[in-house]
Amino acid sequence: MVVKTDICAFSEFRIYPGHGVKFIRKDGQPITLINSKAKSLYHQRKKPAKLTWTVGWRRLNKKDNKDTSSRTRRRRIQKRPKAIVGVTLDQLQKKKNEKPAERSAAREAAKREVKERQKKKAAKGRK
């Protein structure tokens, strides 16, 4: 069985049978309001779009439309290598493509060089 519901002229909530108040405007148009809060605010000529609990405000501020729209498509980020200050793109590619053995050998050579420099510095400092 389908239940006939009206929509509140102020809040746009569903009004089930036996609920709400009908108000007839001067021009003869019947307006259905869900409760005394909506009725009071309607007669004060408040704008429903400025009240956060109304459907009008939620529609304007894009709330609660999760299930109606499909999943938003995101653009895939394309990773592109960029040169760093002091290192060109070619040098970065070369470093990336070198074998682990070559990399460890270069690291050991750099360590030896640093140790030698420290020894020279220490020897200079003693003289």
Side-chain angles (χ1 to χ4, degrees):
M1 186 174 131
V2 178
V3 178
K4 173 88 170 74
T5 58
D6 289 330
I7 289 180
C8 176
F10 188 79
S11 64
E12 297 179 47
F13 291 161
R14 274 206 197 105
I15 304 173
Y16 289 91
H19 295 269
V21 176
K22 262 216 166 67
F23 171 71
I24 310 296
R25 285 199 322 203
K26 282 182 184 175
D27 62 359
Q29 186 180 0
I31 284 178
T32 319
L33 300 161
I34 194 159
N35 54 18
S36 60
K37 177 182 180 180
K39 179 182 166 191
S40 171
L41 290 165
Y42 176 80
H43 288 305
Q44 291 173 48
R45 296 177 187 265
K46 299 287 183 200
K47 290 191 171 107
K50 288 191 175 183
L51 299 166
T52 56
W53 58 271
T54 61
V55 175
W57 184 89
R58 294 186 70 78
R59 192 184 314 109
L60 274 175
N61 291 281
K62 296 182 174 76
K63 308 288 179 194
D64 208 35
N65 282 352
K66 291 168 198 151
D67 44 31
T68 55
S69 63
S70 62
R71 226 171 64 205
T72 54
R73 287 177 59 96
R74 292 195 181 129
R75 291 180 71 193
R76 262 220 173 119
I77 299 167
Q78 292 182 343
K79 293 182 180 176
R80 202 172 281 142
K82 293 180 183 175
I84 304 169
V85 177
V87 184
T88 64
L89 202 60
D90 299 328
Q91 289 173 329
L92 279 173
Q93 272 306 54
K94 197 165 80 176
K95 206 169 195 85
K96 183 183 173 190
N97 293 334
E98 71 184 16
K99 303 272 186 281
E102 293 173 12
R103 194 175 291 142
S104 60
R107 193 180 294 122
E108 291 300 321
K111 279 183 185 176
R112 264 187 258 114
E113 188 186 322
V114 169
K115 282 182 182 177
E116 286 174 22
R117 247 190 275 137
Q118 286 175 344
K119 281 181 185 177
K120 283 181 184 176
K121 205 181 238 184
K124 243 186 194 179
R126 289 184 196 151
K127 283 184 184 177

